[in-house]
Amino acid sequence: QVHLVESGGGSVQPGGSLRLSCTASERMIRDFPVAWFRQAPGKERIFLAAVSWIGTKYYSESVKGRFTISEDNDKNEYYLQMDNLKPEDTALYYCAKDGRQFYTGNVYDNLDVYDSWGQGTQVTVSS
């Protein structure tokens, strides 16, 4: 099973930026989509962005235009650049590996298809 580790969280003022990183333990993750989710206290875990195994990117409407997902295949790392952060972006952020090898569809918001999760990194947006 792939081991995922997130980093890069922290505290930032509204309008600020953060870049989250997700490091995977195995190169085989390249054959699978990887996504970012977040979960605020008392709320469900929600989909933010995904990158397919061929590099196609998908975003939820709530973060489109502010968040950017990217990857560095040589390092087995995935990133979430977050700009113009708002207080409502405060949450625990997770990266996850999709279990569907070579998947090229456009449905990524179903938590059940993800078979590896990181431990999460906290993002707090407050003045």
Side-chain angles (χ1 to χ4, degrees), residues 14 38 40 43 46 62 66-67 84-91 93 123 125-126:
R38 71 184 179 195
K43 297 188 177 181
I46 61 171
S62 65
R66 294 193 300 126
F67 290 10
N84 190 22
L85 284 162
K86 305 175 182 180
E88 52 264 42
D89 294 319
T90 295
Y93 284 69
V123 171
V125 185
S126 173

Side-chain angles (χ1 to χ4, degrees), residues 94-112:
Y94 299 89
C95 65
K97 170 189 161 291
D98 191 319
R100 298 170 294 180
Q101 191 176 22
F102 304 132
Y103 178 70
T104 55
N106 61 1
V107 179
Y108 293 96
D109 58 352
N110 180 3
L111 273 67
D112 292 339

Side-chain angles (χ1 to χ4, degrees), residues 43-114:
K43 297 188 177 181
E44 294 182 346
R45 192 170 299 189
I46 61 171
F47 168 79
L48 300 175
V51 57
S52 75
W53 77 282
I54 55 174
T56 307
K57 300 172 184 179
Y58 302 86
Y59 297 94
S60 72
E61 288 299 320
S62 65
V63 302
K64 190 178 293 184
R66 294 193 300 126
F67 290 10
T68 304
I69 190 170
S70 61
E71 58 186 332
D72 185 332
N73 286 329
D74 291 337
K75 297 181 179 179
N76 295 335
E77 290 188 349
Y78 298 80
Y79 309 101
L80 187 68
Q81 176 67 39
M82 306 186 296
D83 298 317
N84 190 22
L85 284 162
K86 305 175 182 180
E88 52 264 42
D89 294 319
T90 295
L92 193 59
Y93 284 69
Y94 299 89
C95 65
K97 170 189 161 291
D98 191 319
R100 298 170 294 180
Q101 191 176 22
F102 304 132
Y103 178 70
T104 55
N106 61 1
V107 179
Y108 293 96
D109 58 352
N110 180 3
L111 273 67
D112 292 339
V113 305
Y114 294 90

Side-chain angles (χ1 to χ4, degrees), residues 26-47:
E26 303 287 341
R27 291 184 60 172
M28 56 87 71
I29 196 172
R30 299 178 188 182
D31 296 341
F32 300 83
V34 171
W36 286 93
F37 290 77
R38 71 184 179 195
Q39 187 168 19
K43 297 188 177 181
E44 294 182 346
R45 192 170 299 189
I46 61 171
F47 168 79

